[in-house]
Amino acid sequence: MREILEASTSLWSNRWGDAARRKAPVYLTLCGTTDITQPYHSHSYLAGALNRSGHSYAVRDLAIEFWHYVMSPEVMAELRRECLRQMDTERGEQVRLLRLFADLLENSERFRSAFQALRDPQSFHHLPSYLAAIRELSMLPRLLTLLSRKAIYRTFSSASPPGSEEDRINLVTLRSEVEAGFGVEVLDYYYDYHADQIAALQPGFVGMSIPFISQLEHSLMLGHRLRKRGVKVAIGGPIAAKFYKYIDDVEKLDILSFGVDSLITGEGETLVCQLADQAQNGANIGRPDNFVDLHDPKPLERYFFENVEELPSPDYSLWDYSLYGSPEPGGLYSPTRGCYWNKCSFCDYGLAMNAPTSPWRTRSPAKVVEDLTAAAPYVKYFFFAVDVLSPSYALKVSRELIERNVKVKWMADFRLESTFKLENVKVFAEAGCLGAAFGMESTDQEVIDLINKGTRVNRLEYLVNSFADAGIPVQLMGFTGHPGETRRQAQTTFDTARTLLKSAATVALGKFGLTPGADIAKRPERYGIDVHYDPSGDTAIPWEIRWTHRRPVDVYPEDDYRESLRLVRGFPYPFLGATSTLHSLLYFERRPKAPFPIPQWGYELSWGRFHVIPFFIQKPEGDEVTVQSGLTGRVLLLPPAEAQTLERLFPKMAWLRIDATKGVSQGVRDLLDFLVEHSLAMFIPEESV
C-alpha cells in the first residue's frame, strides 16, 4: 500500500515544488468522500488570501486521493480478503452482502474502469456507458460502509445510511469511534501514512474544511493522528460551524480537542492569514474573530463576515484536475455570499449564526469577470456556489461577461422572483448560463406563505418555460411535510411536479427536516408545533430534531414517499440529475432542451415507448438470491425463479424496451411496479436517449 501512496505523494510534490519540501506555516487539505467530480472551492479562496499576504502554504485534496487509493487493484485485493475474513464472523444479511462483494471484487479493476469512463468524453456522453459507470461506482461507498467497524455519521457517502442517532451527533460516541479507527487496515493506513507525511513537513497548522457531514469522521481520523504527532489542527466549513452554532454550552466542545485544536466558525480568508502570521512570525493575534480554542472554548466576542468586494481572486491553479471524475475540469465560484431574502422558515444554511443564512454581500461584476478570467486557463465550467443569485445582479454579471468576451459556462441558484423577464433570461444564455436551479419548496400558495418564501406559485410555470425557451434547463427543488401542510397541499406539489417534469430537467422533492437554527425551531409556537429534544446526558449536537403538531393535521403519511421517489430523475449528488453539479452541467450543454437524457426512478405509460434500465446486483445464496439496489443500497431476497426472471429480462444488464403505445398487460405493470417499489431499475422515454 505504501508504494501506491508514495506515487501519489510524488505527483503532488512535483506540482507543489518547494512548498511540498520545506516548512510552510499553512497546510490546507480536505478529507472525506463526497464529490469525486471537482474540488471544493474554500481552499481556492483561502489560497487567494494567502497569496496576497505573502505567506507560503501547501494545498492537497486527500478526499479525491482517497478514492484513487481504494480503487487501486492492490487495495481492492485487500478489501476482498477483508470480505472473506468477515464472512467467518457475520450472519444473515451482512454475510450475504459480504459474499456478493467478494465475488464482485474478483475483478480488481472494475472501479478504476468505471472512474475512467467518467473522464473519457465519449463514454461520459454515451448514456449507457455513463449509467454503467455510475452503477459500479455507487457500490464502492456501500462496500466501505459494510466493511468498516462502525460507520456512524454517513462516513463514506452522503448517501450512506446514517447512524442510529438520527437527530443528534453524540460527541462521546464520535470520539470513541474515531479513536478506534475504521477497523479495516488498508483504510486506517491511509490516514496513518498521510499523518506521518504531513508531520514531517512541520507545518505551523493544518486547516481542514468540512462542508459535508460525510467528511466529518474522515477529517477527525486525520486530525486525531496529527494531534498525536504534535501538529496543530483547525477545522472550518459549514459542518464545523454548526458544532458551535448548535451546542448548548460552548465549553462542552472541548471534547473535540482529541482531534482538533481550533474550530473556525465562519468565513476564513482574514483569519487564515492571521493564523499563518502567528505560525510563521510568532505574532500575538489574541482572540481573533470566528476562532474557538477547543482546549479552552469560550463564546465568540464577535462573528465576522468578509467584505466580499475587497477579497483577492480565488486561486484555481491549486488542483490537479486529472484526479477528478469528469471529462472537463469544473469549479465552484461565489460571486455573492448570503441571501438577500433571508426570511424562510426552514432555512438554516451555511456560515450563519442568528439568521437563516449569512448577510447578503455582492462582488462587483467587474471583479467577478476578473476572477473568472484568471480562472479560465484552469476551469471553464462553474457552478456559482451562492445561497441565491438575484435576477438584477445576474443580469449585470451576464452583461459584463458578454462585454469582456469571457468564455466560461455557468449555472446558479435563483429565486422565483416576479422581476424575471424573458429578455433577461436570453442574456443569461448568451453569457454562458447552462442551467438554473430554483427552490420552489411547495406549489401550494398557502404553504408558501407558511414558509414565508415571498414568492408566488402562479409564476412558476412561466419562469420554467422562460428558461426552457432560452435553452437553459431548470432544476426545481421542493419538499413536503412542512409544519401545517395538509395531505391535500402535499398532493398539489406532487401533481405540479409531475406536470413540470415535461419541461424542467429535474424536480427533486424531499422530506422536510427541522434543524435547530431554523426559525421554526426557534419559535415553534408560531408554527403550531412542539419540538422534542433528546434528553440523553451525553454531550451531543442536535442535528435534525423531532417535532409534532399541537393540533391534529391531516398530513401526507410521513413514511410514504413512493410518489416522490417515482418523480426522481437522475442520481444523488454529485452525478447526473443531481442539482447544480458538474455532470448535470456538462449534459445540459449537449442537450439544453427537453426531452432530457436523464433516467427517472418511475415510469409513465403516457411515454408510449420507453426503456427499463436495470440497476441492481445479485448473487445466489442457497435457496434465495441476494439482490441489492444500485440506487438505494437496499437488499431484497428473492426465490431463484424470480431472480432468473430478472436475468432473462436483463441479460448482461441490457436495457429492456417497453412499447406502451397500445397499453400494457397487468402482468407487465406488476413487473414495472415491482422494479419501482424496490428501486431495481430506472426508466427513460425512448425519445430522450
Side-chain angles (χ1 to χ4, degrees), residues 175 179 220 223-224 227-228 233 252-262 293-297:
R175 175 173 181 166
E179 290 179 333
L220 292 178
H224 173 54
R227 291 274 293 110
K228 291 199 296 185
V233 177
K252 293 180 181 178
L253 289 173
D254 64 355
I255 194 172
L256 293 175
S257 63
F258 80 97
V260 184
D261 292 278
S262 53
D293 180 354
L294 292 175
H295 301 286
D296 183 25

Side-chain angles (χ1 to χ4, degrees), residues 57-328:
Y57 62 91
V59 176
R60 189 168 181 181
D61 190 345
L62 294 179
I64 191 60
E65 289 191 34
F66 177 86
W67 282 110
H68 286 279
Y69 171 71
V70 297
M71 288 188 296
S72 66
E74 297 87 347
V75 174
M76 286 286 104
E78 287 296 324
L79 293 175
R80 184 174 188 275
R81 282 191 279 273
E82 183 67 19
C83 286
L84 296 173
R85 185 189 67 79
Q86 291 192 22
M87 279 165 49
D88 293 335
T89 59
E90 298 293 343
R91 296 289 182 272
E93 181 179 300
Q94 191 90 349
V95 76
R96 289 174 178 271
L97 284 173
L98 288 166
R99 285 199 181 96
L100 184 150
F101 278 110
D103 278 3
L104 292 175
L105 295 178
E106 287 183 356
N107 175 6
S108 61
E109 287 281 354
R110 69 184 315 135
F111 294 121
R112 279 213 304 201
S113 297
F115 191 88
Q116 185 54 36
L118 300 184
R119 292 200 45 75
D120 177 74
Q122 283 192 314
S123 57
F124 179 87
H125 286 288
H126 179 243
L127 190 59
S129 299
Y130 179 87
L131 298 180
I134 298 305
R135 186 175 60 231
E136 291 286 303
L137 291 170
S138 297
M139 291 188 281
L140 186 50
R142 296 185 184 114
L143 166 65
L144 300 180
T145 300
L146 176 69
L147 292 178
S148 66
R149 199 180 65 81
K150 185 179 180 183
I152 48 177
Y153 299 112
R154 297 179 174 89
T155 304
F156 293 103
S157 168
S158 56
S160 294
S164 58
E165 299 163 311
E166 295 178 359
D167 65 333
R168 59 205 294 273
I169 293 180
N170 186 311
L171 300 189
V172 176
T173 302
L174 180 62
R175 175 173 181 166
S176 66
E177 293 303 322
V178 169
E179 290 179 333
F182 292 125
V184 181
E185 186 176 353
V186 289
L187 301 184
D188 288 320
Y189 180 71
Y190 180 81
Y191 290 111
D192 288 330
Y193 169 85
H194 283 294
D196 286 338
Q197 293 292 308
I198 295 170
L201 294 174
Q202 298 182 293
F205 73 94
V206 172
M208 291 187 278
S209 289
I210 310 180
F212 301 102
I213 191 68
S214 59
Q215 297 176 296
L216 175 60
E217 286 173 83
H218 287 259
S219 300
L220 292 178
M221 289 286 183
L222 179 61
H224 173 54
R225 288 163 169 80
L226 289 171
R227 291 274 293 110
K228 291 199 296 185
R229 290 162 174 79
V231 179
K232 290 184 177 180
V233 177
I235 60 171
I239 300 302
K242 286 186 176 182
F243 275 68
Y244 178 87
K245 183 177 179 178
Y246 291 169
I247 195 77
D248 62 345
D249 181 353
V250 172
E251 293 184 0
K252 293 180 181 178
L253 289 173
D254 64 355
I255 194 172
L256 293 175
S257 63
F258 80 97
V260 184
D261 292 278
S262 53
L263 184 69
I264 313 305
T265 61
E267 296 166 359
E269 288 92 343
T270 297
L271 179 56
V272 75
C273 296
Q274 293 174 315
L275 295 176
D277 202 42
Q278 182 184 57
Q280 187 168 341
N281 306 316
N284 180 7
I285 61 174
R287 290 184 61 193
D289 296 326
N290 299 350
F291 179 88
V292 176
D293 180 354
L294 292 175
H295 301 286
D296 183 25
K298 295 287 188 292
L300 295 172
E301 293 182 356
R302 186 174 74 138
Y303 200 75
F304 174 72
F305 296 99
E306 299 284 355
N307 182 335
V308 171
E309 178 66 9
E310 296 302 319
L311 290 175
S313 294
D315 188 346
Y316 290 91
S317 70
L318 306 173
W319 313 106
D320 180 356
Y321 292 97
S322 69
L323 293 175
Y324 299 91
S326 174
E328 296 285 349

